[in-house]
């Protein structure tokens, strides 16, 4: 019997799953294993875990119904599903931030990294650049030296992990600069780059000019979350003021045709995370996502999952999903293998 369309799609997904892949935009806590989180919310009762939060943060977190339910539950692990449902980027960011309160010891941090490696291995992701939101762990009282020791471990076996330090824009540009100055002399060779995650609309890229000048001088690869919450002007600032080499998301560049041409001509890669953009409400549906238009305009891109535990997606599924947007299997193959070429650590990715 000839293969049906569904069978062909299934075997092609299996093929995508089996092949060696690179992922360049993936947050460490975004890949937190569900069982690990369940275990930690039982170990560290949420109401107590949140006691260390400054009052304004606590109020913001409590306003999220899913978090309020977890705080009120007799078994908080039973209420975790709600954390992975959100209608907006702000709601998602609150849910994401909430999880840091359950990383209380260096051993918890190490547990995240072990979980990440298992996640990568299970998906045949042989090279990953993983974003680690350092100030959030420092706020939890973890010692910087301990964090850097874990990040510096570089087992010879694949997956090869290179770290992208996220200075988290919500702490503001002065704190970001001070932290980077403190970090630079201590960074292990496994740290390949710098980014800013968090609320782009509250802390737009241009506020961080000095931070990026420092990072560039120190030889770090540079990227920034831009063109996700804000439009093309934010991507222009990322390019002209921060002079980044890649853009995290960048998808709202589509709103300015001259910017789209610029990205294509200068060959600036976008780290595109389609499911993330739909789940956080940047686009109302996958059909409304501009990834195809950007691709046709010649903008270089890699495809990533951003926060796979929160968005419930694997890299192979993310790639396969592009079929419904008009990508051919050959084009998707090209995107999957092309990601290695945009790595900050070209040697490690080879
Ligand atoms: N941190 C984790 N995921 C993020 C996203 N999509 N945007 C900004 N900050 C983030
Ligand atoms: Zn991200």
């Amino acid at each position: 019997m000839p293969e049906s369309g569904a069978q062909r799609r299934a075997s092609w997904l299996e093929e995508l799953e089996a092949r060696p892949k690179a992922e360049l935009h993936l947050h460490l806590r975004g890949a937190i294993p569900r069982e690990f989180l369940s275990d930690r919310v039982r170990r560290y009762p949420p109401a107590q875990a949140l006691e260390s939060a400054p009052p304004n943060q606590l109020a913001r977190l409590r306003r999220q119904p899913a978090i309020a339910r977890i705080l009120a539950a007799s078994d908080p692990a039973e209420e975790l599903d709600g954390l992975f449902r959100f209608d907006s980027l702000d709601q998602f960011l609150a849910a994401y931030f909430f999880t840091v309160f359950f990383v209380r010891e260096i051993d918890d941090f190490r547990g995240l990294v072990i979980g990440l490696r298992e996640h990568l291995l299970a998906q045949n992701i042989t090279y990953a650049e993983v974003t680690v939101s350092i100030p959030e762990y420092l706020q939890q009282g973890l010692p910087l030296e301990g964090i850097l020791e874990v990040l510096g471990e570089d087992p010879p076996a694949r997956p090869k992990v290179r770290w992208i330090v996220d200075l988290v824009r919500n702490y503001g540009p002065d704190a970001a600069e001070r932290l980077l100055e403190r970090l630079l002399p201590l960074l292990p060779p496994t740290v390949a780059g710098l980014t800013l995650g968090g609320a782009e609309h509250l802390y737009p890229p241009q506020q961080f000019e000095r931070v990026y000048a420092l990072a560039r001088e120190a030889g770090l690869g540079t990227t920034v979350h831009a063109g996700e919450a804000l439009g093309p002007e934010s991507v222009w600032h990322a390019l002209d003021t921060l002079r980044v080499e890649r853009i995290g998301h960048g998808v709202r560049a589509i709103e300015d045709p001259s910017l789209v041409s610029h990205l294509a001509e200068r060959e600036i890669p976008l780290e595109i995370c389609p499911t993330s953009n739909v789940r956080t409400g940047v686009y109302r549906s996958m059909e409304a996502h501009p990834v195809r238009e950007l691709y046709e305009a010649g903008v270089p891109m890699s495809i990533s999952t951003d926060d796979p535990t929160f968005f419930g997606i694997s890299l192979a599924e993310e790639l396969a999903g592009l079929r419904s947007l008009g990508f051919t299997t050959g084009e998707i193959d090209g995107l999957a293998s092309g990601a290695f070429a945009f790595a900050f650590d070209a040697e490690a990715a080879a």
Side-chain angles (χ1 to χ4, degrees), residues 92-328:
F92 158 72
L93 287 173
Y96 169 81
F97 184 50
F98 175 71
T99 58
V100 86
F101 290 93
F102 304 94
V103 183
R104 300 181 64 88
E105 309 282 343
I106 273 295
D107 259 3
D108 301 328
F109 184 76
R110 192 184 297 278
L112 280 180
V113 174
I114 292 169
L116 167 85
R117 287 189 191 277
E118 285 168 359
H119 168 85
L120 298 172
L121 192 65
Q123 293 185 69
N124 293 302
I125 297 173
T126 54
Y127 177 77
E129 289 183 0
V130 182
T131 296
V132 52
S133 304
I134 302 256
E136 297 177 349
Y137 300 107
L138 294 179
Q139 180 180 315
Q140 282 297 96
L142 268 57
L144 183 58
E145 295 67 26
I147 294 173
L148 294 176
E149 193 186 314
V150 175
L151 298 183
E153 289 164 6
D154 193 17
R158 303 275 157 172
K160 183 67 75 181
V161 173
R162 290 293 173 262
W163 300 101
I164 298 186
V165 166
D166 172 12
L167 294 174
V168 188
R169 59 209 325 156
N170 298 45
Y171 291 83
D174 292 339
E177 193 176 344
R178 281 196 305 275
L179 178 55
L180 184 59
E181 279 170 347
R182 193 172 153 210
L183 279 170
L184 283 177
L186 305 174
L187 288 178
T190 47
V191 172
L194 181 89
T195 193
L196 290 171
E200 180 190 4
H201 47 304
L202 302 179
Y203 298 92
Q206 59 273 27
Q207 297 181 354
F208 297 85
E209 182 173 8
R210 287 212 306 274
V211 173
Y212 276 75
L214 267 177
R216 198 170 35 255
E217 257 171 53
L220 287 175
T222 52
T223 179
V224 64
H225 287 63
E228 181 191 30
L230 293 178
E233 67 289 350
S234 182
V235 179
W236 278 120
H237 275 298
L239 296 173
D240 293 343
T241 310
L242 304 188
R243 297 169 55 198
V244 293
E245 294 161 69
R246 304 194 314 229
I247 308 268
H249 299 286
V251 284
R252 290 191 54 194
I254 200 68
E255 295 163 33
D256 177 353
S258 70
L259 176 55
V260 173
S261 311
H262 185 83
L263 292 167
E265 277 159 23
R266 299 290 166 92
E267 299 182 20
I268 310 281
L270 303 186
E271 303 151 12
I272 298 194
C273 312
T275 302
S276 163
N277 295 151
V278 174
R279 292 287 316 279
T280 63
V282 178
Y283 295 103
R284 69 181 181 287
S285 66
M286 204 48 102
E287 290 66 42
H289 196 284
V291 59
R292 181 70 200 169
E293 228 179 307
L294 290 162
Y295 182 85
E296 284 179 358
V299 176
M301 62 178 69
S302 66
I303 301 295
S304 288
T305 59
D306 205 8
D307 301 286
T309 304
F310 288 80
F311 304 136
I313 188 98
S314 72
L315 182 56
E317 287 166 342
E318 192 82 72
L319 286 161
L322 296 176
R323 281 292 278 140
S324 68
L325 301 181
F327 285 81
T328 65

Side-chain angles (χ1 to χ4, degrees), residues 42-103:
R42 286 190 171 127
R43 187 179 305 182
Y44 305 129
Q48 282 169 33
L50 260 65
E51 271 170 12
S52 62
N56 59 336
Q57 270 181 12
L58 193 58
R60 191 163 61 89
L61 293 171
R62 281 183 184 285
R63 270 201 300 277
Q64 303 300 324
I67 295 177
R69 272 196 301 277
I70 292 171
L71 287 170
S74 55
D75 180 0
E78 293 285 323
E79 290 293 337
L80 285 178
D81 281 355
L83 202 59
F84 304 107
R85 288 192 286 269
F86 23 79
D87 305 322
S88 67
L89 188 58
D90 279 336
Q91 263 185 25
F92 158 72
L93 287 173
Y96 169 81
F97 184 50
F98 175 71
T99 58
V100 86
F101 290 93
F102 304 94
V103 183

